[in-house]
Amino acid sequence: MITELGHFALILAALVAVVQMVVPLIGAHKRWAGWMAVAEPAAGAQFALTALSFGALVWAFVVSDFSLRLVWANSHSAKPMLYKISGTWGNHEGSMLLWVLIVTLFGAMAAWFGGNLPPSLKARVLSVQAAIAVAFFGFILFTSNPFLRLETPPFDGQDLNPLLQDPGLAFHPPFLYLGYVGLSMTFSFAVAALMEGRVDAAWGRWVRPWTLAAWVFLTIGIALGSWWAYYELGWGGFWFWDPVENASFMPWLLAAALLHSAIVVEKREALKSWTILLAILAFGFSLIGTFIVRSGLLTSVHAFANDPERGIWILLIMGFFMGGALVLFTLRAGAMEAKGVFALASRESALVVNNLLLAVACFVVFVGTMWPLVAEMFFDRKLSVGPPFFNAAFTPFMVALGVILPVGAAMPWKRAGIIKAFKPLRYVFLLALAVGGLTYAMQTGRSMIGPIGLFLGAWLVMSVVVELVQRSGRGANRLRRLARLPRADWGKATAHAGLGITMAGIAGLTAWTQDDIRAVQLDQPWNVGKYELTLTDVQEVRGPNYLSTMGVLTLRKGGDFIAELRPEKRFYPVAQMPTTEAGIDYDLIRDVYVVIGDQQSNGGWTVRTYIKPLTNWIWIGAALMALGGMLSLSDRRFRVAAGAVNKGRQTPVPAE
């Protein structure tokens, strides 16, 4: 009964979305207040019905209703409750329902908190958002219905993919979807602005919180996925330039560019056309990511589905929205007249350079991701584009971004002197160079990756400190003045410092990782770098829905006991699939990472050991970036519809 109710609510939500798509749009065109007002209750009703539908699907997973085909294919009665719930979105159909739930949530939030938006703009925004929902409602109901029943319910299910039975992967997809779909709101604002033919400072102020929220969610989602790949896959890496990893990274880069470009629109009413284009492309790359994950076009351990037919439907949705938006952009871009004029040396110019670096970096990732497909289709050649290409082609743009960011942030608006802006930073720049030089001198090899990364990290973090010290002024009330700084300023400082820490962590891990693989006997110690490890026991352990071979190792340094590590090889009988659980001793300076392999004929065990410097800086930096975004979001000046609006310019008339 609950399942049928969920299916019925999904159909009703789709019908409400059709009404919300059509009626307010006509009202905005005709300036009919009554028709435009339909958008708000429709957005709320659409979200409520979709939430009811999603709740019904979650309930089916919680109670293990194996009469539902989706539950049977992705759950099992012995599975822990967390993974029963996460199994709701650990598949194609359920994840698409979560996607459309978030689309309706953002639409409802725009309706609830957009009270100061001009009525016609608000109606158009909600209509475009509803159009996106209609497309995905149709996709779910006609190609990916999560509520299909089995004629003869089986006794138990086929279990969820064991790789997804992990806390990191339980929360990773929802955060990514919040980021992907958050960019749908910036897309809706961009298309609505093109329809109205007007982009001003108020528009930039309205679009910034949505962009910032999407960027924060993407940051958290990407960090969770990276952390999961690090400790779960047993490869010891945090990023593999996998097509699906790239699919989430590209919108993140464009969202960062859009966020900074919207600042210029708000402050100076410049870069209007470019900002509109970024808003369209950012959501477009979210749709490209959805297509990659679900079409089976590119192979990935993250893929939800391998169904080219359903992939074609997503491609058609992407073509309709992207093609329509770009055509509208072509017709209306000339009306986006820039008012602000700025010199070549100014904060505006620095933000333009920031945008160009992020956009070109995104393009590099896109080319590397899609080139194997292009080569196979047009040249009949099977190619693999891996980390060497991405590291060589992508890294220079990030290095350039890290170098110019502190100087650009120190420049005033409209007109600046580069030397004057750099002057307060000259000592920290020299100190950062000294950090990089000292690192180069102390390292064993001659790699430049580590020294450059630590230079950038020190440069970004210390420049943030200098900026805050300058903002505090002089005298005895420095701390009070710092406390009174707007939260957006604190958010910017925290996010920029987080970027520096992440850059340093990535460089340290890439340059100085040590690895060792050998067959070891029980109670026979061996050394890796400065550490001594001993395999003391191997146990057979039974989990709630898996069997495990668990090694017990002691970790010592200089004879002193540090930790006991317990790496595992798990086997899930229902799914007939093994997984690896690394044993990790986490530390701020380094991780010791151990993976146990198969037993050898002589009774020994294969053990792989990694010493990974600065690994945790990567996720500390990501957490700081997300925290910085949240601090900025909490600034009342940047909430949705903040700022005064002259509504007199758009007076609706009653419908006849």
Side-chain angles (χ1 to χ4, degrees), residues 199-220:
V199 174
D200 54 16
W203 182 89
R205 190 158 49 245
W206 291 319
V207 83
R208 276 186 66 193
W210 298 107
T211 307
L212 186 55
W215 183 83
V216 167
F217 288 129
L218 278 174
T219 302
I220 296 171

CSV table of all heavy atoms in Angstrom, one decimal, residues 199-220:
chain,number,residue,atom,x,y,z
A,199,VAL,N,20.3,41.8,-16.6
A,199,VAL,CA,21.1,41.3,-15.5
A,199,VAL,C,21.7,42.5,-14.8
A,199,VAL,O,22.3,43.4,-15.4
A,199,VAL,CB,22.3,40.4,-16.0
A,199,VAL,CG1,23.2,40.0,-14.9
A,199,VAL,CG2,21.7,39.2,-16.7
A,200,ASP,N,21.6,42.6,-13.5
A,200,ASP,CA,22.1,43.7,-12.7
A,200,ASP,C,22.8,43.2,-11.4
A,200,ASP,O,22.9,42.0,-11.2
A,200,ASP,CB,21.0,44.7,-12.4
A,200,ASP,CG,19.8,44.1,-11.7
A,200,ASP,OD1,19.9,43.0,-11.2
A,200,ASP,OD2,18.7,44.8,-11.7
A,201,ALA,N,23.1,44.2,-10.6
A,201,ALA,CA,23.8,43.8,-9.3
A,201,ALA,C,22.9,43.0,-8.5
A,201,ALA,O,23.4,42.1,-7.8
A,201,ALA,CB,24.2,45.1,-8.6
A,202,ALA,N,21.6,43.3,-8.4
A,202,ALA,CA,20.7,42.5,-7.6
A,202,ALA,C,20.7,41.0,-8.1
A,202,ALA,O,20.7,40.1,-7.3
A,202,ALA,CB,19.3,43.1,-7.7
A,203,TRP,N,20.7,40.8,-9.4
A,203,TRP,CA,20.7,39.4,-9.9
A,203,TRP,C,22.0,38.7,-9.4
A,203,TRP,O,21.9,37.5,-9.0
A,203,TRP,CB,20.7,39.5,-11.5
A,203,TRP,CG,20.7,38.1,-12.1
A,203,TRP,CD1,19.6,37.3,-12.4
A,203,TRP,CD2,21.8,37.3,-12.4
A,203,TRP,NE1,20.0,36.1,-12.9
A,203,TRP,CE2,21.4,36.1,-13.0
A,203,TRP,CE3,23.2,37.6,-12.4
A,203,TRP,CZ2,22.2,35.1,-13.4
A,203,TRP,CZ3,24.1,36.6,-12.9
A,203,TRP,CH2,23.6,35.4,-13.4
A,204,GLY,N,23.1,39.4,-9.5
A,204,GLY,CA,24.4,38.8,-9.0
A,204,GLY,C,24.3,38.4,-7.5
A,204,GLY,O,24.8,37.4,-7.1
A,205,ARG,N,23.6,39.3,-6.8
A,205,ARG,CA,23.5,39.0,-5.3
A,205,ARG,C,22.5,37.8,-5.1
A,205,ARG,O,22.7,37.1,-4.1
A,205,ARG,CB,22.9,40.3,-4.7
A,205,ARG,CG,23.0,40.3,-3.1
A,205,ARG,CD,22.9,41.7,-2.6
A,205,ARG,NE,21.9,42.5,-3.1
A,205,ARG,CZ,22.1,43.6,-3.8
A,205,ARG,NH1,23.3,44.0,-4.1
A,205,ARG,NH2,21.1,44.3,-4.3
A,206,TRP,N,21.5,37.7,-5.9
A,206,TRP,CA,20.6,36.5,-5.8
A,206,TRP,C,21.2,35.2,-6.2
A,206,TRP,O,21.0,34.2,-5.5
A,206,TRP,CB,19.3,36.8,-6.6
A,206,TRP,CG,18.5,37.9,-6.1
A,206,TRP,CD1,18.2,38.2,-4.8
A,206,TRP,CD2,17.8,38.8,-6.9
A,206,TRP,NE1,17.3,39.2,-4.7
A,206,TRP,CE2,17.1,39.7,-6.0
A,206,TRP,CE3,17.7,39.1,-8.2
A,206,TRP,CZ2,16.3,40.8,-6.4
A,206,TRP,CZ3,16.9,40.1,-8.7
A,206,TRP,CH2,16.2,41.0,-7.8
A,207,VAL,N,22.0,35.2,-7.2
A,207,VAL,CA,22.6,34.0,-7.7
A,207,VAL,C,23.7,33.5,-6.9
A,207,VAL,O,24.0,32.3,-6.9
A,207,VAL,CB,22.9,34.1,-9.2
A,207,VAL,CG1,24.3,34.7,-9.4
A,207,VAL,CG2,22.8,32.8,-10.0
A,208,ARG,N,24.4,34.3,-6.2
A,208,ARG,CA,25.6,33.9,-5.4
A,208,ARG,C,25.3,32.9,-4.4
A,208,ARG,O,26.1,31.9,-4.2
A,208,ARG,CB,26.3,35.1,-4.8
A,208,ARG,CG,27.2,35.9,-5.8
A,208,ARG,CD,28.0,37.0,-5.1
A,208,ARG,NE,28.9,36.4,-4.1
A,208,ARG,CZ,29.5,37.2,-3.1
A,208,ARG,NH1,29.2,38.5,-3.1
A,208,ARG,NH2,30.3,36.7,-2.3
A,209,PRO,N,24.3,33.0,-3.5
A,209,PRO,CA,24.1,32.0,-2.5
A,209,PRO,C,23.8,30.6,-3.1
A,209,PRO,O,24.3,29.6,-2.5
A,209,PRO,CB,22.9,32.5,-1.7
A,209,PRO,CG,22.5,33.8,-2.2
A,209,PRO,CD,23.3,34.1,-3.4
A,210,TRP,N,23.1,30.6,-4.2
A,210,TRP,CA,22.8,29.2,-4.8
A,210,TRP,C,24.1,28.6,-5.3
A,210,TRP,O,24.3,27.4,-5.1
A,210,TRP,CB,21.8,29.4,-5.9
A,210,TRP,CG,20.5,29.9,-5.5
A,210,TRP,CD1,19.9,31.1,-5.7
A,210,TRP,CD2,19.5,29.2,-4.7
A,210,TRP,NE1,18.7,31.2,-5.1
A,210,TRP,CE2,18.4,30.1,-4.5
A,210,TRP,CE3,19.5,27.9,-4.1
A,210,TRP,CZ2,17.3,29.7,-3.7
A,210,TRP,CZ3,18.3,27.5,-3.4
A,210,TRP,CH2,17.3,28.4,-3.2
A,211,THR,N,24.9,29.5,-6.0
A,211,THR,CA,26.2,29.0,-6.5
A,211,THR,C,27.1,28.5,-5.3
A,211,THR,O,27.7,27.4,-5.4
A,211,THR,CB,26.9,30.1,-7.3
A,211,THR,OG1,26.0,30.6,-8.3
A,211,THR,CG2,28.2,29.5,-7.9
A,212,LEU,N,27.1,29.3,-4.3
A,212,LEU,CA,28.0,29.0,-3.1
A,212,LEU,C,27.5,27.7,-2.4
A,212,LEU,O,28.3,26.8,-2.1
A,212,LEU,CB,28.0,30.2,-2.1
A,212,LEU,CG,28.9,30.1,-0.9
A,212,LEU,CD1,30.3,29.9,-1.4
A,212,LEU,CD2,28.8,31.3,-0.1
A,213,ALA,N,26.2,27.5,-2.3
A,213,ALA,CA,25.7,26.3,-1.7
A,213,ALA,C,26.0,25.1,-2.5
A,213,ALA,O,26.5,24.1,-2.0
A,213,ALA,CB,24.2,26.4,-1.5
A,214,ALA,N,25.8,25.2,-3.8
A,214,ALA,CA,26.2,24.1,-4.7
A,214,ALA,C,27.7,23.8,-4.6
A,214,ALA,O,28.1,22.6,-4.5
A,214,ALA,CB,25.8,24.4,-6.1
A,215,TRP,N,28.5,24.8,-4.6
A,215,TRP,CA,30.0,24.6,-4.5
A,215,TRP,C,30.3,23.9,-3.2
A,215,TRP,O,31.2,23.0,-3.1
A,215,TRP,CB,30.7,25.9,-4.6
A,215,TRP,CG,32.2,25.8,-4.6
A,215,TRP,CD1,33.0,25.5,-5.7
A,215,TRP,CD2,33.0,26.0,-3.5
A,215,TRP,NE1,34.3,25.5,-5.3
A,215,TRP,CE2,34.3,25.8,-4.0
A,215,TRP,CE3,32.8,26.3,-2.2
A,215,TRP,CZ2,35.4,25.9,-3.1
A,215,TRP,CZ3,33.9,26.5,-1.3
A,215,TRP,CH2,35.2,26.3,-1.8
A,216,VAL,N,29.7,24.3,-2.1
A,216,VAL,CA,30.0,23.7,-0.8
A,216,VAL,C,29.6,22.2,-0.8
A,216,VAL,O,30.4,21.4,-0.3
A,216,VAL,CB,29.2,24.5,0.4
A,216,VAL,CG1,29.3,23.6,1.7
A,216,VAL,CG2,29.9,25.8,0.6
A,217,PHE,N,28.4,21.9,-1.3
A,217,PHE,CA,28.0,20.5,-1.3
A,217,PHE,C,28.9,19.7,-2.2
A,217,PHE,O,29.2,18.5,-1.9
A,217,PHE,CB,26.5,20.4,-1.8
A,217,PHE,CG,25.5,20.9,-0.8
A,217,PHE,CD1,24.5,21.8,-1.1
A,217,PHE,CD2,25.6,20.4,0.5
A,217,PHE,CE1,23.6,22.3,-0.2
A,217,PHE,CE2,24.6,20.9,1.5
A,217,PHE,CZ,23.7,21.8,1.1
A,218,LEU,N,29.3,20.2,-3.4
A,218,LEU,CA,30.2,19.5,-4.2
A,218,LEU,C,31.5,19.3,-3.5
A,218,LEU,O,32.1,18.2,-3.7
A,218,LEU,CB,30.4,20.3,-5.5
A,218,LEU,CG,29.3,20.1,-6.6
A,218,LEU,CD1,29.6,21.1,-7.8
A,218,LEU,CD2,29.3,18.7,-7.1
A,219,THR,N,32.0,20.3,-2.8
A,219,THR,CA,33.3,20.1,-2.1
A,219,THR,C,33.2,19.0,-1.1
A,219,THR,O,34.1,18.1,-1.0
A,219,THR,CB,33.6,21.4,-1.4
A,219,THR,OG1,33.7,22.5,-2.3
A,219,THR,CG2,35.0,21.3,-0.6
A,220,ILE,N,32.1,18.9,-0.3
A,220,ILE,CA,31.9,17.9,0.7
A,220,ILE,C,31.8,16.5,0.0
A,220,ILE,O,32.4,15.5,0.4
A,220,ILE,CB,30.7,18.2,1.6
A,220,ILE,CG1,30.9,19.4,2.4
A,220,ILE,CG2,30.4,17.0,2.5
A,220,ILE,CD1,29.7,19.9,3.1
